[in-house]
Amino acid sequence: MKNQKIIIIGGGVIGLGIGWQLAKAGADVTIHERAEVGRGASWAAGGMLGPIAEAHIDELDLLKLSNQSLDRYPEWVDELEAETDMRIGYRAEGTLIIGIQPDDKYQLEHAYNLYNDLGLNVEWLSGDEARKIEGALSPYVTAAIRCETDHQVDNRLMTQALKRAYEARGGEMHHNSPVKKIVIENGNVRGVQTLEGFQSADVCILAAGCWSGQIDGLPETIIPPVRPVKGQMLALQMRKDMMISNVIRTVKARYPMPVYLVPRRDGRLVVGATTEEMGFDTDLNVGGIYELLHGAFEAVPGIYELPLIETWSGLRPGSSDNAPILGKTPVENLIYATGHYRNGILLTPITAYEVSKLILTGETPDTIAPFHIDRFSKE
Ligand code: FAD
Ligand code: GLY
């Protein structure tokens, strides 16, 4: 595929990651980004690399893929940092899932048993043991699960680094260049229609996040079932006497809303996130921000004094089974890399390595085979 013209639709971590790997292999790649590169979900995310904390009993293929991607993170970070001379804020301190109210302990035990059944690397801690690790935790924390291998990365830095690495390898970038239509003839992709007119391509990769189902030209049967799932977020500025270093998450299915706190190396403390089915609406509201602050305050009361430095929201590309849609489609040379929902930052390395391998060799790697679009037509 080396001399073929490849077009990628979408300049988030997924499009950039695949583009970088392809450009590195000497391919002729162009990314068309509707607006500004890296300002979609990839910018809004928390950056948690949390296969365990996000594990679900009904999503075992996704858990396997997530673990495979996490395993490749150190190599990914080394490669990206070496090529760009940037640091992307990878932190390996781990994650504490905490219980606060008596009911949370029951939820935690349930999660702990599930993780053990799945063979995941977790440790049960009492409240005091958890506070020995993170002194700022509330005195009301009754127990915790330590997930030492659930790490984090600064997704905004990673996105900037990917753009730099992609361009340094000769990848072409078109900002403010929405793809209006994917042009298909006789079952083959021919290129895309942009504001500048028709751009021919031998291979097209659809990596347009939650907008992936909105581009004209796709046969009805293969429109990716991807929808926007809004998440409101905020950031606080930690102080020397109020620093945390692990990712802290409250248990799922709790009231008030479960939250996560993600401490960055520069002292920012990212708090997220709501999960809202609101279409393409990205407005922030008092309820969302209140719930986040309430949940974060219950977990770490010391945040009360910290400056609130940013609020934002983003749209997760949610697929109908929460797993990404990867690989070949019934249209020759049209490749999907979308629908990464809550785990797109975690899944970037495996997506980039394996989708670029597919394009360069023509063979679908076993890793991504369960994630074809055809799984939806089989249902
Ligand atoms: P995006 O980053 O949205 O990029 C898609 C790009 O395509 C956009 O830039 C868009 O402008 C462009 N585009 C759309 N239509 C067109 C078109 N027609 N033509 C050209 N370009 C187009 N994941 C984790 O792993 N860990 C987390 O902690 C985490 N937290 C999250 C918190 C929030 C609040 C949100 C919203 C997401 C979170 N995620 C997390 C999920 C993760 O951010 C996404 O799964 C991932 O960023 C998806 O990357 P993407 O490149 O597919 O999408
Ligand atoms: N994975 C965290 C989120 O989607 O909010």
Side-chain angles (χ1 to χ4, degrees):
M1 291 255 173
K2 259 193 169 177
N3 299 320
Q4 296 192 305
K5 168 94 191 143
I6 301 167
I7 285 182
I8 300 178
I9 307 168
V13 281
I14 300 300
L16 288 167
I18 297 168
W20 171 42
Q21 289 301 309
L22 287 172
K24 199 171 168 180
D28 175 0
V29 199
T30 301
I31 293 180
H32 286 274
E33 164 52 48
R34 186 181 65 124
E36 203 182 319
V37 169
R39 292 289 294 191
S42 304
W43 174 85
M48 293 176 297
L49 310 176
I52 300 178
E54 300 269 356
H56 195 281
I57 187 68
D58 296 328
E59 297 172 359
L60 297 184
D61 281 342
L62 176 59
L63 175 62
K64 186 172 171 195
L65 189 75
S66 300
N67 275 323
Q68 286 168 326
S69 200
L70 185 69
D71 286 348
R72 301 202 70 174
Y73 242 98
E75 164 195 359
W76 172 263
V77 173
D78 286 351
E79 193 185 342
L80 189 53
E81 291 190 340
E83 289 212 5
T84 57
D85 207 17
M86 284 178 68
R87 294 288 161 268
I88 62 167
Y90 177 69
R91 296 188 75 166
E93 280 91 341
T95 295
L96 296 172
I97 308 174
I98 59 166
I100 304 166
Q101 293 158 2
D103 189 39
D104 290 349
K105 201 165 171 187
Y106 171 79
Q107 296 283 347
L108 263 190
E109 277 166 2
H110 180 72
Y112 183 69
N113 292 336
L114 169 70
Y115 299 151
N116 274 313
D117 290 349
L118 295 173
L120 301 171
N121 174 13
V122 288
E123 184 188 354
W124 183 266
L125 302 177
S126 67
D128 284 343
E129 286 169 333
R131 275 181 292 276
K132 275 203 190 109
I133 296 169
E134 283 299 353
L137 283 177
S138 162
Y140 296 110
V141 169
T142 51
I145 300 172
R146 185 177 202 185
C147 313
E148 260 194 287
T149 52
D150 272 11
H151 297 161
Q152 66 137 312
V153 72
D154 186 326
N155 44 290
R156 293 185 184 175
L157 292 178
M158 183 166 98
T159 309
Q160 286 169 28
L162 281 171
K163 177 176 179 288
R164 186 183 288 186
Y166 169 74
E167 291 183 322
R169 287 285 182 174
E172 201 176 318
M173 182 71 79
H174 291 244
H175 306 261
N176 301 316
S177 178
V179 168
K180 297 289 180 199
K181 184 176 180 183
I182 297 173
V183 180
I184 297 166
E185 277 171 21
N186 303 324
N188 271 274
V189 82
R190 294 287 176 226
V192 297
Q193 200 68 42
T194 69
L195 296 180
E196 299 91 45
F198 175 72
Q199 317 292 324
S200 83
D202 301 298
V203 178
C204 269
I205 304 168
L206 178 57
C210 69
W211 299 270
S212 295
Q214 298 225 313
I215 300 170
D216 288 344
L218 294 175
E220 188 84 16
T221 48
I222 64 159
I223 294 176
V226 179
R227 70 188 193 289
V229 183
K230 174 169 145 181
Q232 300 186 47
M233 305 274 284
L234 57 89
L236 310 173
Q237 186 64 46
M238 291 188 287
R239 290 188 318 230
K240 281 201 179 78
D241 60 345
M242 219 308 301
M243 276 283 171
I244 60 173
S245 52
N246 287 250
V247 172
I248 294 171
R249 305 180 69 133
T250 59
V251 281
K252 288 178 195 161
R254 85 182 298 270
Y255 180 83
M257 199 181 73
V259 296
Y260 49 78
L261 296 87
V262 190
R264 302 286 196 227
R265 285 204 192 285
D266 63 2
R268 277 164 67 89
L269 181 61
V270 173
V271 179
T274 63
T275 302
E276 302 172 65
E277 299 283 351
M278 295 286 289
F280 288 93
D281 167 58
T282 52
D283 287 350
L284 295 165
N285 58 37
V286 173
I289 299 301
Y290 167 77
E291 293 271 350
L292 294 177
L293 287 172
H294 185 175
F297 173 72
E298 275 204 340
V300 180
I303 66 157
Y304 198 84
E305 303 290 339
L306 301 182
L308 171 61
I309 52 173
E310 192 185 345
T311 51
W312 68 95
S313 72
L315 300 173
R316 304 173 182 89
S319 75
S320 44
D321 63 2
N322 300 336
I325 305 168
L326 304 174
K328 292 183 182 178
T329 67
V331 174
E332 202 64 32
N333 294 323
L334 173 64
I335 307 293
Y336 283 173
T338 186
H340 291 75
Y341 191 35
R342 305 184 74 90
N343 289 303
I345 305 300
L346 167 62
L347 294 171
T348 299
I350 199 81
T351 303
Y353 288 135
E354 302 299 71
V355 171
S356 59
K357 195 189 287 175
L358 158 66
I359 289 160
L360 294 167
T361 64
E363 301 295 325
T364 298
D366 290 346
T367 22
I368 60 168
F371 299 98
H372 275 166
I373 180 79
D374 67 6
R375 72 184 187 270
F376 298 107
S377 49
K378 284 178 193 152
E379 275 170 4

